[in-house]
Amino acid sequence: TDLMAEGIYQDVKDVAYNRVIAIGGGTILDVAKLFALKNISPIVDLYDKKLEIEKSKKLVLVPTTCGTGSEMTNISILELTAKNTKMGLAVDELYADDAVLIPELLDDLPMSVFATSSIDALIHSIESYTSPKANAFTQTFSVKAMRMILETYLALVKEGADSRKKYMKTMLLASNYAGIAFGNAGCAAVHAMSYPLGAKYHVPHGEANYAMFTGVYEAYMELNPDGSISKLNEILADVLKCNTKDVYQELESLLNYMIKKKALHEYGVTKQDLKEFTDVVMTKQGRLMANNYAELNSEKVMKIYEKLF
């Protein structure tokens, strides 16, 4: 949260340092990015672009999960308690000077964290593929990442979850590739709609994304089935060995092996929350909603939430 970042700032504001080295998951990397800047506090003012943004420290990022791809992006996501949602600061000053991949750091990753973080990477690759900002370069990384992740999931179904350790290098690279893809083409409504759920009910980020994923993409299919989503479905169907019309059901079945999908009410979400979530998405998540494959207005967003409730 912004409060945590402010607390760290109070501890280090009088310490002279030239380099920030972050070793950890997406939250650690995202928070560390802020401390490479000259002006950090007040955090909320930084995210509202009220502070001059200038990089003054070298930044080295070392991920220990296979999900966020944060080591490759210029984005820092925080839960802003004053705004009751997660928000992203996206500026070039947040890019790392060095991104270091060490697969051995993932050896002890619990299955639950492996599942939620890698599903996040999968959704990064899919959302960036259908983003209107996508191009041949970003889609190359998107496709490579989604194939690597899904093929690993299929292997785990056959070999058992305990076999995941031998796939950590593959998954770390896939997360990195997905980070390159969405760092350039952007994520969209799946992430935007997951943020209020994660902020209010502290649902792990990848799990919150999964809760929204098929609902958003089924809505896209209703709105525009013939664009880049058609090619996406062909790619997914090829990996999953199914018909394109069944791709989202098959994908959900596979992901349920990793982590069981829940209806929103199972997290404690209320009907009143759906209206509040919709308002937050439409007023606070414009950065992400601008990357939607098809336009989603407040009525469509509300219908997706209601369908997933």
Side-chain angles (χ1 to χ4, degrees), residues 200-230:
K200 185 162 187 176
Y201 292 100
H202 307 291
V203 180
H205 179 58
E207 184 176 348
N209 279 338
Y210 179 30
M212 304 298 164
F213 172 62
T214 51
V216 170
Y217 271 76
E218 286 169 356
Y220 284 162
M221 283 294 294
E222 293 175 5
L223 293 167
N224 181 14
D226 300 321
S228 60
I229 199 170
S230 176

Side-chain angles (χ1 to χ4, degrees), residues 7 15 31 35 38 72 74 145 217 228 238-239 261 269 285 297 300:
V15 176
V31 171
F35 288 85
K38 181 178 180 180
M72 299 305 296
N74 66 335
Y217 271 76
S228 60
D238 179 60
V239 179
K261 183 178 178 179
V269 174
Q285 300 298 340
N297 57 26
K300 291 186 176 75

Side-chain angles (χ1 to χ4, degrees), residues 161-210:
D162 290 342
S163 68
R164 66 187 181 278
K165 184 174 178 178
K166 68 182 181 181
Y167 296 105
M168 287 306 185
K169 181 177 180 180
T170 295
M171 295 298 274
L172 187 58
L173 282 170
S175 170
N176 186 271
Y177 296 160
I180 294 171
F182 94 86
N184 285 279
C187 286
V190 176
H191 274 70
M193 293 181 65
S194 78
Y195 282 161
L197 175 63
K200 185 162 187 176
Y201 292 100
H202 307 291
V203 180
H205 179 58
E207 184 176 348
N209 279 338
Y210 179 30

Side-chain angles (χ1 to χ4, degrees), residues 66 109-118 156 164 168 171 258:
C66 48
L109 203 62
M111 180 60 185
S112 61
V113 181
F114 173 83
T116 57
S117 64
S118 59
L156 295 184
R164 66 187 181 278
M168 287 306 185
M171 295 298 274
M258 306 300 297

Side-chain angles (χ1 to χ4, degrees), residues 11-23:
D11 285 342
V12 304
K13 65 180 182 180
D14 296 323
V15 176
Y17 60 98
N18 298 315
R19 182 172 57 174
V20 177
I21 304 174
I23 305 173

